[in-house]
Amino acid sequence: EAQVTQNPRYLITVTGKKLTVTCSQNMNHEYMSWYRQDPGLGLRQIYYSMNVEVTDKGDVPEGYKVSRKEKRNFPLILESPSPNQTSLYFCASSLDYYNEQFFGPGTRLTVL
Amino acid sequence: GIQVEQSPPDLILQEGANSTLRCNFSDSVNNLQWFHQNPWGQLINLFYIPSGTKQNGRLSATTVATERYSLLYISSSQTTDSGVYFCAAVSGGGADGLTFGKGTHLIIQP
């Protein structure tokens, strides 16, 4: 089944404890991206990757890092999480930036 | 960047009713998508429709790119249609991601 997977689906952590949210797609897509969703602010892009060689910041990159070492995986790294990073996170992928994007199931992160 | 506005923000209907959701965007688009966010938070792809008209069962969508708007039609609503509907677009000049509207919160009452 063609899909985007994210892990973990739910995470409660404490301020400053490094964490990684994994994202993987099995559709051989070049383009991958991360979004966060917050009440009143909607969905906003954090980082995107055109391919394994090109990664760039989205609208809200502060406090996040990403890595694209292979086509299928695009992990989101929070090196020192803070409470304002409590959010619902989505990974997405598509053939290219203008093609239909497919979203993972989401990761609910709470930082205490 | 591109601006995406959706209307109405909230809509309450009885089961069996029809509805039209609107999405206005401020620039030419390479990509326009409609999503349904279900009560569990998952984003379900409804349509990829940068132009033209598509239908999928009780749902259909039309995008008039020259006039910068898109419409999502839901016919014979069911309670399972409840949730938030998002329109999202990628502008013609951009390689970054989707810009989302604020959504239409739809409640279908039995």
Side-chain angles (χ1 to χ4, degrees), chain A residues 11-78:
Chain A
L11 179 61
I12 300 174
T13 189
V14 296
T15 298
K17 186 177 181 181
K18 181 179 179 178
L19 66 93
T20 299
V21 184
T22 65
C23 172
S24 184
Q25 50 90 7
N26 62 2
M27 296 172 278
N28 202 35
H29 285 169
E30 292 286 346
Y31 186 91
M32 298 186 73
S33 61
W34 278 99
Y35 298 82
R36 60 178 288 176
Q37 184 178 25
D38 303 289
L41 296 174
L43 284 118
R44 297 172 293 169
Q45 190 182 48
I46 303 171
Y47 268 96
Y48 66 94
S49 174
M50 299 283 285
N51 51 56
V52 293
E53 297 177 353
V54 179
T55 299
D56 208 348
K57 298 176 180 178
D59 297 321
V60 287
E62 294 78 19
Y64 304 95
K65 288 176 60 176
V66 291
S67 171
R68 188 89 184 273
K69 296 179 181 178
E70 49 190 340
K71 183 186 281 191
R72 66 183 292 124
N73 296 323
F74 191 45
L76 180 69
I77 303 158
L78 286 72

XYZ file of all heavy atoms in Angstrom, chain A residues 11-78:
556
model
N 3.644 11.518 21.485
C 4.862 11.637 22.298
C 4.687 12.750 23.310
O 4.298 13.866 22.948
C 6.073 11.909 21.418
C 7.420 12.070 22.141
C 7.768 10.801 22.899
C 8.517 12.426 21.145
N 4.962 12.432 24.561
C 5.030 13.424 25.625
C 6.469 13.429 26.123
O 6.995 12.371 26.480
C 4.048 13.098 26.768
C 2.618 13.058 26.238
C 4.174 14.133 27.888
C 1.595 12.597 27.263
N 7.074 14.603 26.133
C 8.472 14.700 26.539
C 8.665 15.938 27.407
O 7.714 16.667 27.693
C 9.390 14.725 25.314
O 10.757 14.601 25.731
C 9.216 16.016 24.523
N 9.896 16.166 27.810
C 10.201 17.313 28.664
C 11.123 18.275 27.934
O 11.839 17.898 26.992
C 10.842 16.865 29.991
C 9.845 16.032 30.801
C 12.119 16.079 29.741
N 11.104 19.498 28.361
C 11.940 20.539 27.764
C 13.398 20.125 27.732
O 13.940 19.642 28.722
C 11.782 21.834 28.558
O 10.418 22.261 28.494
C 12.667 22.931 27.995
N 14.013 20.292 26.555
C 15.436 20.065 26.403
C 15.865 18.655 26.029
O 17.037 18.438 25.730
N 14.968 17.706 26.030
C 15.325 16.320 25.712
C 15.194 16.072 24.219
O 14.081 16.009 23.692
C 14.457 15.346 26.497
C 14.861 13.894 26.325
C 14.011 12.986 27.199
C 14.441 11.540 27.043
N 13.593 10.633 27.867
N 16.315 15.883 23.563
C 16.341 15.727 22.109
C 15.431 14.612 21.642
O 15.354 13.542 22.269
C 17.769 15.441 21.651
C 17.921 15.285 20.140
C 19.362 15.027 19.745
C 19.517 14.852 18.234
N 20.929 14.636 17.844
N 14.730 14.863 20.529
C 13.866 13.829 19.980
C 13.869 13.884 18.454
O 14.194 14.917 17.854
C 12.440 13.977 20.513
C 11.659 15.213 20.103
C 10.830 14.928 18.844
C 10.733 15.674 21.219
N 13.528 12.762 17.856
C 13.417 12.643 16.413
C 12.078 12.025 16.054
O 11.680 11.015 16.644
C 14.537 11.768 15.833
O 15.803 12.370 16.130
C 14.396 11.622 14.328
N 11.398 12.643 15.110
C 10.169 12.073 14.550
C 10.518 11.561 13.153
O 11.011 12.322 12.316
C 9.041 13.112 14.468
C 7.764 12.457 13.966
C 8.815 13.773 15.818
N 10.294 10.294 12.937
C 10.666 9.717 11.650
C 9.524 9.845 10.649
O 8.341 9.896 11.009
C 11.050 8.244 11.795
O 9.903 7.490 12.211
C 12.179 8.082 12.796
N 9.894 9.914 9.380
C 8.934 9.958 8.281
C 9.493 9.104 7.149
O 10.667 9.264 6.770
C 8.714 11.385 7.811
S 7.720 11.496 6.298
N 8.657 8.265 6.597
C 9.088 7.411 5.503
C 7.966 7.277 4.488
O 6.792 7.182 4.862
C 9.477 6.027 6.039
O 9.981 5.214 5.009
N 8.333 7.264 3.192
C 7.335 7.069 2.130
C 7.815 5.967 1.192
O 9.019 5.825 0.959
C 7.058 8.383 1.376
C 8.274 9.142 0.885
C 8.751 8.797 -0.504
O 8.101 8.048 -1.240
N 9.906 9.342 -0.885
N 6.867 5.233 0.638
C 7.195 4.103 -0.233
C 6.729 4.332 -1.667
O 6.478 3.385 -2.411
C 6.600 2.813 0.327
C 5.079 2.850 0.392
O 4.447 3.827 -0.014
N 4.494 1.782 0.899
N 6.592 5.614 -2.062
C 6.078 5.951 -3.381
C 7.162 6.487 -4.310
O 6.858 6.977 -5.398
C 4.948 6.981 -3.222
C 3.760 6.424 -2.463
S 2.520 7.665 -2.049
C 3.239 8.379 -0.580
N 8.404 6.417 -3.879
C 9.534 6.898 -4.684
C 9.412 8.397 -5.008
O 9.808 8.856 -6.084
C 9.684 6.100 -5.987
C 11.095 6.179 -6.560
O 12.071 6.235 -5.821
N 11.185 6.198 -7.877
N 8.851 9.142 -4.063
C 8.666 10.571 -4.253
C 9.955 11.340 -4.017
O 10.734 11.027 -3.115
C 7.581 11.091 -3.300
C 6.203 10.715 -3.726
N 5.105 10.886 -2.900
C 5.721 10.201 -4.883
C 4.018 10.495 -3.542
N 4.380 10.068 -4.737
N 10.146 12.387 -4.837
C 11.325 13.238 -4.681
C 11.121 14.267 -3.566
O 12.012 14.571 -2.808
C 11.620 13.969 -5.990
C 12.076 13.087 -7.134
C 13.503 12.599 -6.964
O 14.241 13.143 -6.114
O 13.897 11.656 -7.684
N 9.911 14.840 -3.500
C 9.622 15.978 -2.627
C 9.020 15.496 -1.320
O 8.076 14.702 -1.304
C 8.642 16.913 -3.337
C 8.349 18.199 -2.618
C 9.099 19.338 -2.853
C 7.302 18.292 -1.706
C 8.826 20.538 -2.209
C 7.012 19.478 -1.054
C 7.784 20.597 -1.317
O 7.512 21.780 -0.670
N 9.600 15.998 -0.213
C 9.051 15.704 1.106
C 9.070 16.971 1.941
O 9.884 17.876 1.712
C 9.859 14.602 1.802
C 9.827 13.272 1.063
S 10.633 11.925 1.940
C 9.432 11.586 3.256
N 8.148 17.046 2.903
C 8.068 18.252 3.718
C 7.450 17.946 5.078
O 6.823 16.896 5.259
C 7.267 19.338 3.003
O 5.945 18.898 2.754
N 7.642 18.868 6.007
C 7.067 18.799 7.337
C 6.209 20.037 7.587
O 6.588 21.161 7.221
C 8.152 18.746 8.401
C 8.726 17.388 8.618
C 9.886 16.890 8.125
C 8.136 16.338 9.399
N 10.058 15.590 8.538
C 8.996 15.231 9.322
C 6.962 16.228 10.141
C 8.739 14.020 9.984
C 6.701 15.036 10.796
C 7.583 13.944 10.713
N 5.056 19.800 8.230
C 4.143 20.862 8.622
C 3.811 20.695 10.102
O 3.854 19.597 10.637
C 2.830 20.779 7.837
C 2.954 20.947 6.349
C 3.321 19.873 5.540
C 2.685 22.164 5.736
C 3.419 20.015 4.166
C 2.776 22.317 4.359
C 3.148 21.239 3.589
O 3.249 21.387 2.224
N 3.439 21.813 10.720
C 2.861 21.749 12.051
C 1.491 22.424 12.030
O 1.268 23.364 11.249
C 3.760 22.384 13.113
C 4.081 23.834 12.930
C 4.950 24.357 14.070
N 4.199 24.477 15.329
C 4.737 24.835 16.495
N 6.040 25.096 16.582
N 3.994 24.929 17.588
N 0.595 21.920 12.864
C -0.754 22.463 12.929
C -1.046 22.916 14.341
O -0.929 22.135 15.300
C -1.796 21.422 12.497
C -3.213 21.976 12.465
C -4.232 20.961 11.990
O -4.026 19.760 12.099
N -5.331 21.435 11.433
N -1.440 24.168 14.480
C -1.727 24.753 15.780
C -3.068 25.468 15.752
O -3.393 26.125 14.746
C -0.633 25.762 16.167
C 0.738 25.132 16.180
O 0.979 24.325 17.100
O 1.551 25.414 15.272
N -3.844 25.390 16.826
C -5.136 26.080 16.868
C -4.969 27.570 16.615
O -4.112 28.232 17.189
C -5.606 25.814 18.305
C -4.891 24.575 18.719
C -3.557 24.621 18.033
N -5.794 28.088 15.720
C -5.756 29.508 15.413
C -4.689 29.904 14.410
O -4.765 30.985 13.827
N -3.703 29.056 14.206
C -2.614 29.368 13.270
C -2.646 28.477 12.037
O -1.971 28.756 11.049
C -1.261 29.226 13.970
C -1.020 30.205 15.130
C 0.296 29.870 15.832
C -1.003 31.650 14.636
N -3.380 27.389 12.101
C -3.513 26.520 10.948
C -2.287 25.659 10.705
O -1.474 25.425 11.602
N -2.141 25.206 9.479
C -1.010 24.369 9.086
C 0.058 25.236 8.445
O -0.238 26.026 7.535
C -1.462 23.297 8.083
C -2.227 22.142 8.682
C -3.632 22.076 8.129
C -1.475 20.852 8.393
N 1.282 25.076 8.899
C 2.410 25.855 8.393
C 3.585 24.930 8.111
O 3.836 23.984 8.856
C 2.820 26.923 9.412
C 1.753 27.968 9.710
C 2.175 28.866 10.853
N 2.233 28.128 12.118
C 2.772 28.599 13.224
N 3.350 29.803 13.230
N 2.784 27.864 14.322
N 4.312 25.245 7.056
C 5.430 24.399 6.651
C 6.673 24.705 7.486
O 7.013 25.872 7.715
C 5.741 24.597 5.171
C 6.722 23.583 4.631
C 7.065 23.822 3.190
O 7.380 24.945 2.806
N 7.001 22.789 2.377
N 7.377 23.649 7.893
C 8.584 23.798 8.702
C 9.829 23.728 7.809
O 10.664 24.634 7.798
C 8.650 22.693 9.768
C 7.391 22.715 10.651
C 9.903 22.863 10.639
C 7.281 21.511 11.583
N 9.971 22.632 7.103
C 11.072 22.405 6.174
C 10.547 21.620 4.989
O 9.555 20.908 5.089
C 12.190 21.586 6.834
C 13.280 22.394 7.485
C 13.233 22.651 8.850
C 14.354 22.880 6.761
C 14.238 23.387 9.471
C 15.372 23.611 7.373
C 15.291 23.863 8.727
O 16.283 24.586 9.337
N 11.265 21.721 3.875
C 10.956 20.885 2.743
C 12.253 20.421 2.080
O 13.326 21.004 2.277
C 10.047 21.585 1.728
C 10.659 22.780 1.030
C 11.296 22.645 -0.206
C 10.551 24.050 1.578
C 11.828 23.739 -0.861
C 11.089 25.156 0.937
C 11.715 24.996 -0.281
O 12.249 26.088 -0.928
N 12.107 19.357 1.281
C 13.246 18.798 0.564
C 12.829 18.478 -0.854
O 11.937 17.645 -1.072
C 13.746 17.531 1.265
O 14.748 16.904 0.516
N 13.448 19.140 -1.826
C 13.125 18.905 -3.230
C 13.598 17.517 -3.681
O 12.977 16.879 -4.533
C 13.773 19.973 -4.101
C 13.313 21.386 -3.797
S 11.691 21.710 -4.492
C 12.119 21.883 -6.229
N 14.735 17.095 -3.140
C 15.320 15.783 -3.430
C 16.406 15.546 -2.392
O 16.576 16.365 -1.469
C 15.873 15.724 -4.857
C 16.802 16.889 -5.162
O 17.773 17.105 -4.454
N 16.482 17.649 -6.193
N 17.181 14.485 -2.536
C 18.169 14.161 -1.501
C 19.291 15.198 -1.428
O 20.038 15.234 -0.456
C 18.768 12.747 -1.703
C 17.706 11.685 -1.488
C 19.419 12.626 -3.064
N 19.378 16.062 -2.408
C 20.462 17.046 -2.418
C 20.016 18.437 -1.980
O 20.866 19.294 -1.697
C 21.086 17.124 -3.812
C 21.753 15.829 -4.263
C 22.289 15.922 -5.678
O 22.020 16.930 -6.345
O 22.979 14.983 -6.098
N 18.716 18.685 -1.960
C 18.223 20.034 -1.705
C 17.205 20.028 -0.574
O 16.150 19.390 -0.671
C 17.575 20.645 -2.959
C 17.054 22.044 -2.644
C 18.570 20.686 -4.108
N 17.515 20.758 0.488
C 16.605 20.943 1.618
C 16.561 22.419 1.933
O 17.585 23.106 1.860
C 17.100 20.158 2.849
O 17.144 18.767 2.518
C 16.176 20.349 4.023
N 15.386 22.928 2.279
C 15.273 24.352 2.543
C 14.234 24.622 3.614
O 13.377 23.782 3.908
C 14.923 25.116 1.275
C 15.432 26.554 1.302
O 15.851 27.032 2.388
O 15.397 27.204 0.252
N 14.335 25.833 4.205
C 13.432 26.224 5.279
C 12.060 26.574 4.727
O 11.929 27.141 3.641
C 14.009 27.433 6.015
C 15.349 27.167 6.677
C 15.898 28.438 7.304
C 17.258 28.176 7.963
N 17.840 29.405 8.543
N 11.058 26.281 5.539
C 9.712 26.721 5.249
C 9.401 27.988 6.019
O 10.280 28.820 6.246
N 8.169 28.102 6.492
C 7.734 29.318 7.171
C 8.143 29.389 8.634
O 8.314 30.477 9.178
C 6.199 29.421 7.085
C 5.731 29.544 5.650
O 6.404 30.245 4.871
O 4.697 28.935 5.311
N 8.286 28.237 9.288
C 8.556 28.219 10.735
C 9.661 27.233 11.076
O 9.446 26.254 11.792
C 7.271 27.903 11.537
C 6.336 29.091 11.535
C 6.568 26.660 10.991
N 10.913 27.451 10.619
C 11.981 26.465 10.811
C 12.702 26.532 12.154
O 13.449 25.609 12.500
C 12.953 26.824 9.689
C 12.800 28.304 9.546
C 11.335 28.582 9.790
N 12.477 27.599 12.931
C 13.278 27.805 14.144
C 13.054 26.669 15.142
O 11.924 26.330 15.477
C 12.912 29.140 14.803
C 13.266 30.366 13.977
C 12.290 30.630 12.846
O 11.156 30.090 12.901
O 12.637 31.351 11.911
N 14.142 26.113 15.618
C 14.082 25.051 16.613
C 14.029 23.653 16.029
O 13.942 22.670 16.768
N 14.073 23.537 14.715
C 13.983 22.239 14.038
C 15.179 22.015 13.120
O 15.773 22.953 12.611
C 12.711 22.157 13.183
C 11.436 22.403 13.930
C 10.862 23.675 13.958
C 10.790 21.380 14.606
C 9.691 23.928 14.643
C 9.608 21.611 15.292
C 9.062 22.887 15.304
O 7.897 23.125 15.980
N 15.499 20.745 12.927
C 16.461 20.340 11.915
C 15.867 19.176 11.147
O 14.995 18.461 11.652
C 17.787 19.896 12.573
C 18.620 21.002 13.151
C 19.845 20.462 13.844
C 20.754 19.669 12.923
N 21.992 19.223 13.600
N 16.354 18.994 9.920
C 15.917 17.860 9.106
C 17.139 17.229 8.456
O 18.224 17.803 8.417
C 14.905 18.265 8.020
C 13.566 18.670 8.637
C 15.467 19.360 7.131
N 16.922 16.038 7.920
C 17.980 15.289 7.264
C 17.368 14.509 6.112
O 16.303 13.913 6.262
C 18.633 14.346 8.276
O 19.516 13.453 7.650
N 18.023 14.496 4.964
C 17.500 13.710 3.827
C 18.661 12.915 3.225
O 19.206 13.243 2.182
C 16.884 14.632 2.769
C 16.149 13.880 1.647
C 14.736 13.626 1.945
N 14.048 12.847 0.956
C 13.448 13.341 -0.134
N 13.497 14.637 -0.396
N 12.805 12.546 -0.962
N 19.041 11.869 3.899
C 20.180 11.054 3.464
C 19.779 10.049 2.390
O 20.626 9.556 1.633
C 20.786 10.339 4.660
C 21.388 11.292 5.697
C 21.963 10.549 6.870
C 22.544 11.517 7.896
N 23.069 10.811 9.095
N 18.515 9.703 2.357
C 18.004 8.794 1.330
C 16.619 9.241 0.919
O 15.938 9.954 1.679
C 17.997 7.351 1.850
C 17.349 7.200 3.212
C 17.572 5.820 3.800
O 17.878 4.881 3.045
O 17.420 5.682 5.018
N 16.197 8.846 -0.253
C 14.969 9.375 -0.825
C 13.750 9.102 0.029
O 12.870 9.949 0.176
C 14.763 8.812 -2.242
C 13.537 9.383 -2.941
C 13.290 8.701 -4.274
C 14.187 9.207 -5.344
N 13.767 8.725 -6.691
N 13.652 7.948 0.615
C 12.422 7.543 1.274
C 12.224 8.141 2.666
O 11.116 8.162 3.173
C 12.336 6.025 1.341
C 13.381 5.383 2.217
C 13.267 3.864 2.175
N 12.038 3.432 2.814
C 11.117 2.674 2.206
N 11.290 2.284 0.967
N 10.048 2.301 2.854
N 13.279 8.625 3.309
C 13.186 9.060 4.704
C 13.485 10.542 4.880
O 14.395 11.087 4.237
C 14.153 8.258 5.574
C 13.817 6.791 5.614
O 12.644 6.424 5.621
N 14.829 5.945 5.624
N 12.751 11.170 5.794
C 12.920 12.607 6.036
C 12.609 12.882 7.503
O 11.549 13.390 7.845
C 11.985 13.401 5.115
C 12.250 14.881 5.073
C 13.528 15.393 4.962
C 11.194 15.782 5.092
C 13.767 16.757 4.895
C 11.404 17.147 5.019
C 12.690 17.638 4.922
N 13.537 12.576 8.399
C 13.270 12.765 9.829
C 13.288 14.220 10.256
O 14.027 15.038 9.700
C 14.411 11.984 10.492
C 15.508 11.973 9.474
C 14.829 11.932 8.134
N 12.480 14.524 11.257
C 12.413 15.855 11.865
C 13.068 15.764 13.237
O 12.676 14.921 14.049
C 10.965 16.309 11.999
C 10.739 17.690 12.610
C 11.216 18.786 11.670
C 9.259 17.885 12.953
N 14.035 16.635 13.483
C 14.823 16.583 14.710
C 14.575 17.834 15.535
O 14.685 18.951 15.019
C 16.322 16.462 14.373
C 16.570 15.228 13.497
C 17.166 16.408 15.651
C 17.841 15.278 12.704
N 14.245 17.622 16.803
C 14.136 18.728 17.755
C 15.261 18.538 18.759
O 15.199 17.656 19.606
C 12.761 18.720 18.446
C 11.568 19.179 17.636
C 11.170 18.156 16.575
C 10.384 19.490 18.548
